[in-house]
């Protein structure tokens, strides 16, 4: 993987249409998946991306395609997503790295195992193939590791994929099928007339349309704020490293109390810390601080507050949403801190000593857009006719992305979602509902 930045060559050029059926803002896994399903339904789609396709969190995540550990409302959608990933491998005819090698949550003691009891019941309710492994079963699957773990939670049908390769392959397939994708084309604002959408103002001009999907990840709240639509959103910086080719540890995804590792198609591992995240609150997030208190309390042991991080290239305290002023920040490219990378190397040496002599060949960070309850928004905005939002996936969006794209395609066409998505409504932050906290970021 080579991390995309605003210096990366533009791959998607097109003439901006004067009119289109649907405009999608953001070319990550959600936006591109939605475009794929809309196009298959015969709907003309324009995808506007201020930076690069899959340039931000959609290419910077761990690459897990997991059902394990999901919020109960997400699980049926994620189970459908596994089936869609399988279909996409056949349909787009490009290497995505999709492989069903399973997921493991590694437990050092009974207390850690007990923490998964609620999900084990959820899995049983949905007939998911999750089960507990005793140590003898575990070490038949996990090789070349010290015997730190006494048991594990295991879902054999879970999968992995290469994030950048997957999303760019799907984007190329969309383009070949007739979807218009334009990079370096930020959307400045939306035009409404009597509460109904008329079109979008982009850097390259105005496009008339009556349906828009905002799937802009970290940037979604900034755009919505311009139209007095408040979306509480917190930016969380997560860092990842890639090793050179390494001895086989496990052919899927695994995570324990300090470390997570995922086999890569190149024979190396994507590795990350499970107990270290950096939080960079904007003025927008501070305004919604009370809403985030339960999530922050749950995740507090692994959070590290950063007031301002120059390596993020954009001041997180700025609520400026004018994309024309972000030309030098088209791809948010925060760099891993030296502290984080030193800590990761130390944990790798302690927990996976066979990797001590394996070089780390690349490191990167991404900005997770977290919601106060750690589950996304997928909804039509009633007070802004024609505007749909799919954002705030809180670090869980890559694997579930294709099925969420299908849901948003259905909603945009005026059809039933196909799943119970009441939990993901936009209005839950303003209608007085008590928020139910989902899986932590």
């Amino acid at each position: 993987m080579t991390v995309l930045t605003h210096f990366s060559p533009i791959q998607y050029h097109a003439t901006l249409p004067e009119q289109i059926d649907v405009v999608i803002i953001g070319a990550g896994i959600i936006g591109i998946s939605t475009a794929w399903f809309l196009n298959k339904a015969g709907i003309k789609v324009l995808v506007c991306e201020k930076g690069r396709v899959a340039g931000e969190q959609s290419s910077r995540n761990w690459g897990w395609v997991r059902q394990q550990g999901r919020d109960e409302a997400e699980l049926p959608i994620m189970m459908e997503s596994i089936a869609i990933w399988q279909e996409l491998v056949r349909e787009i005819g490009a290497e995505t790295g999709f492989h069903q090698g399973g997921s493991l949550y590694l437990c050092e003691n009974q207390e850690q195992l007990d923490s998964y009891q609620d999900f084990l019941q959820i899995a049983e309710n949905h007939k998911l193939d999750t089960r507990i492994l005793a140590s003898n079963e575990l070490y038949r699957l996990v090789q070349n590791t010290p015997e730190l773990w006494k048991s594990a939670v295991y879902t054999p049908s879970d999968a992995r994929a290469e994030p950048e390769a997957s999303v760019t392959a799907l984007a190329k397939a969309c383009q070949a099928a007739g979807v218009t994708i334009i990079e370096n084309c930020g959307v400045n604002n939306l035009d409404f007339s009597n509460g109904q959408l008329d079109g979008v103002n982009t850097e390259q001009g105005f496009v008339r349309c009556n349906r828009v999907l905002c799937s802009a990840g970290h940037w979604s709240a900034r755009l919505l704020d311009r139209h007095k639509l408040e979306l509480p959103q917190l930016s969380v910086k997560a860092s990842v490293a890639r090793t050179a080719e390494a001895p086989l540890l496990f052919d899927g995804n695994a995570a324990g109390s300090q470390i997570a590792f995922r086999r890569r198609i190149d024979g190396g591992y994507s590795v990350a810390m499970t107990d270290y995240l950096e939080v960079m609150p904007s003025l927008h997030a501070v305004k919604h601080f009370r809403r985030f208190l339960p999530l922050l309390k749950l995740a507090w042991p692994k959070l590290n507050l950063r007031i301002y991080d120059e390596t993020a290239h954009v001041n997180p305290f700025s609520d400026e949403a004018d994309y024309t002023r972000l030309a030098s920040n088209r791809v948010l490219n925060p760099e891993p801190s030296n502290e984080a990378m030193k800590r990761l190397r130390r944990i790798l040496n302690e927990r996976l000593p066979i990797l001590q002599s394996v070089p780390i060949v690349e490191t990167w960070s991404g900005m997770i857009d977290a919601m106060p309850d750690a589950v996304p928004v997928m909804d039509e905005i009633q007070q802004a006719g024609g505007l749909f939002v799919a954002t705030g996936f809180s670090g869980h969006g890559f694997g579930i992305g294709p099925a969420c794209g299908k849901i948003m395609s259905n909603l945009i066409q005026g059809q039933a979602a196909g799943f119970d998505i009441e939990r993901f409504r936009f209005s839950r932050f303003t209608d007085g509902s008590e928020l139910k906290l989902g899986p932590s970021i």
Side-chain angles (χ1 to χ4, degrees), residues 292-313:
F292 284 100
L293 280 174
L295 179 63
L296 293 173
K297 182 179 180 181
L298 177 65
W300 190 254
K302 61 182 176 182
L303 298 182
N304 296 269
L305 183 64
R306 298 288 182 263
I307 298 300
Y308 176 59
D309 187 346
E310 292 286 351
T311 64
H313 300 302

Side-chain angles (χ1 to χ4, degrees), residues 270-289:
S270 288
V271 293
M273 292 173 287
T274 58
D275 62 348
Y276 187 95
L277 293 169
E278 295 172 288
V279 179
M280 293 162 43
S282 66
L283 289 177
H284 170 89
V286 170
K287 182 169 63 175
H288 296 284
F289 178 73

Side-chain angles (χ1 to χ4, degrees), residues 73-81 84 126 378 403-422 424:
E74 286 185 340
L75 183 56
I77 302 170
M78 186 60 230
M79 294 173 76
E80 171 73 6
S81 204
I84 295 174
H126 291 271
M378 292 191 288
C404 292
K406 187 175 183 178
I407 287 172
M408 296 313 300
S409 171
N410 290 342
L411 293 180
I412 290 167
Q413 294 177 71
Q415 300 171 0
F419 295 89
D420 182 357
I421 58 169
E422 176 71 10
F424 312 124

Side-chain angles (χ1 to χ4, degrees), residues 380-391:
E380 180 177 8
I381 310 306
Q382 298 303 318
Q383 61 267 46
L387 175 60
F388 299 80
V389 174
T391 195

Side-chain angles (χ1 to χ4, degrees), residues 222-371:
R222 295 170 184 246
L223 179 63
L224 295 176
D225 275 352
R226 301 201 79 174
H227 300 281
K228 296 181 170 41
L229 298 168
E230 288 200 354
L231 178 72
Q233 198 170 29
L234 180 68
S235 295
V236 180
K237 178 180 169 184
S239 297
V240 188
R242 171 170 71 89
T243 74
E245 188 172 357
L248 180 65
L249 303 174
F250 174 57
D251 198 28
N253 319 307
S257 60
Q258 290 186 293
I259 196 72
F261 52 98
R262 188 264 299 177
R263 186 72 166 176
R264 299 175 56 87
I265 195 172
D266 58 16
Y269 282 87
S270 288
V271 293
M273 292 173 287
T274 58
D275 62 348
Y276 187 95
L277 293 169
E278 295 172 288
V279 179
M280 293 162 43
S282 66
L283 289 177
H284 170 89
V286 170
K287 182 169 63 175
H288 296 284
F289 178 73
R290 287 180 181 272
R291 297 185 185 277
F292 284 100
L293 280 174
L295 179 63
L296 293 173
K297 182 179 180 181
L298 177 65
W300 190 254
K302 61 182 176 182
L303 298 182
N304 296 269
L305 183 64
R306 298 288 182 263
I307 298 300
Y308 176 59
D309 187 346
E310 292 286 351
T311 64
H313 300 302
V314 63
N315 186 345
F317 277 92
S318 172
D319 286 321
E320 179 58 68
D322 185 356
Y323 287 104
T324 62
R325 296 188 63 190
L326 296 174
S328 63
N329 300 289
R330 291 191 177 278
V331 178
L332 190 61
N333 186 36
E335 297 176 5
S337 67
N338 289 334
E339 175 188 351
M341 288 300 98
K342 286 179 181 177
R343 189 175 187 277
L344 176 58
R345 182 79 262 187
R346 176 178 57 78
I347 292 171
L348 271 180
N349 292 345
E350 292 173 355
R351 299 255 152 178
L352 302 171
I354 197 168
L355 297 182
Q356 282 189 24
S357 59
V358 177
I360 288 179
V361 295
E362 189 177 15
T363 63
W364 64 89
S365 292
M367 300 303 292
I368 295 170
D369 55 314
M371 294 287 99

